[in-house]
């Protein structure tokens, strides 16, 4: 049976889609594409900022298996990132989050929350040289921080107002983000 040009084109397209969806090559392409399209996240206008009032949320530190309660972050600037090692947009934004953490890790509270086990996270971090504070949720996060998508990242000011709420990959090492953090720290 001889294939027509149209059938060959269709087979090539199916092969490309199969590679893109089901192989590590596809994952690499997805990560690369997410890095290309990641822009600095938008700041929520002051009149539309929701306020985190329920800080009662306990998470477990994957490094020391120590509980951390969000109540201890009251009155501080906080960045919370929900992510996973298998998520291409999460992987795409992780280098920028590491740079942001390197610059502001001693000035604001960073919480990287995942549902994955410590071994998986540690393998991923060791492979990529990340040194971020990772936690697992002990109970449901406050409803205002609930999202069905990952990555989802929140930047919260000292009064509990959500200044940035971003779902999907973003450029967290941008001047815009750093200027916003500096502004929040100065208040």
């Amino acid at each position: 049976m001889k294939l027509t040009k149209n059938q060959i084109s269709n087979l090539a397209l199916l092969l490309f889609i199969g590679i893109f969806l089901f192989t590590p090559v596809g994952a690499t392409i997805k990560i690369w594409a997410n890095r290309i399209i990641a822009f600095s996240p938008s700041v929520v206008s002051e009149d539309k900022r929701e306020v985190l009032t329920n800080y009662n949320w306990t998470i477990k530190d994957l490094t020391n298996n120590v509980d951390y309660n969000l109540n201890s972050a009251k009155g501080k600037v906080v960045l919370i990132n929900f992510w996973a090692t298998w998520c291409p947009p999460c992987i795409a934004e992780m280098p920028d989050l590491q740079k942001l953490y390197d610059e502001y890790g001693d000035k604001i509270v960073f919480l990287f929350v995942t549902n994955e086990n410590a071994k998986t996270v540690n393998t991923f971090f060791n492979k990529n040289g990340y040194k971020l504070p990772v936690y697992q949720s002990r109970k449901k996060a406050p409803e205002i921080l609930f999202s069905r998508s990952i990555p989802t990242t929140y930047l919260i000011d000292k009064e509990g107002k959500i200044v940035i709420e971003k779902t999907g990959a973003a450029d967290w090492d941008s001047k815009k983000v750093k200027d916003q953090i500096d502004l929040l720290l100065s208040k």
Side-chain angles (χ1 to χ4, degrees):
M1 176 170 107
K2 187 170 172 147
L3 296 175
T4 66
K5 279 187 177 181
N6 199 22
Q7 289 172 322
I8 292 171
S9 295
N10 287 341
L11 284 173
L13 179 61
L14 284 174
L15 180 64
F16 175 76
I17 291 171
I19 288 171
F20 186 75
L21 292 176
F22 303 111
T23 70
V25 172
T28 302
I29 292 169
K30 289 179 209 170
I31 294 165
W32 177 79
N34 273 283
R35 283 191 182 138
I36 295 284
I37 63 170
F39 295 102
S40 185
S42 299
V43 174
V44 178
S45 63
E46 290 202 36
D47 59 321
K48 294 186 179 177
R49 292 181 183 171
E50 295 184 79
V51 179
L52 175 65
T53 55
N54 176 14
Y55 279 78
N56 190 22
W57 180 40
T58 303
I59 52 181
K60 178 180 76 165
D61 177 337
L62 287 186
T63 305
N64 305 319
N65 280 335
V66 174
D67 284 349
Y68 178 87
N69 193 298
L70 189 58
N71 277 309
S72 63
K74 266 188 183 175
K76 299 176 184 174
V77 177
V78 181
L79 185 138
I80 302 172
N81 175 265
F82 294 93
W83 71 285
T85 63
W86 51 263
C87 163
C90 301
I91 296 167
E93 72 177 3
M94 198 60 67
D96 287 342
L97 286 165
Q98 179 65 59
K99 289 176 189 170
L100 192 67
Y101 177 75
D102 291 344
E103 189 166 341
Y104 289 95
D106 59 340
K107 298 174 183 138
I108 69 174
V109 176
F110 283 87
L111 305 171
F112 294 88
V113 182
T114 184
N115 289 330
E116 294 180 283
N117 67 50
K119 184 178 178 185
T120 301
V121 172
N122 289 332
T123 300
F124 175 77
F125 271 35
N126 290 336
K127 176 182 172 190
N128 293 289
Y130 298 135
K131 307 260 188 265
L132 302 168
V134 181
Y135 301 85
Q136 288 176 322
S137 192
R138 286 246 188 234
K139 64 180 191 175
K140 187 177 165 190
E143 192 165 325
I144 199 167
L145 300 177
F146 178 77
S147 174
R148 293 194 185 280
S149 301
I150 57 171
T152 298
T153 306
Y154 301 92
L155 180 64
I156 304 166
D157 73 7
K158 294 175 183 177
E159 297 172 353
K161 294 178 185 168
I162 298 176
V163 176
I164 295 176
E165 178 179 348
K166 173 67 175 139
T167 299
D171 177 6
W172 292 100
D173 191 40
S174 69
K175 181 176 178 355
K176 181 179 172 183
V177 170
K178 291 177 183 181
D179 287 349
Q180 186 62 48
I181 290 173
D182 291 339
L183 177 67
L184 297 176
L185 289 171
S186 71
K187 291 183 178 181

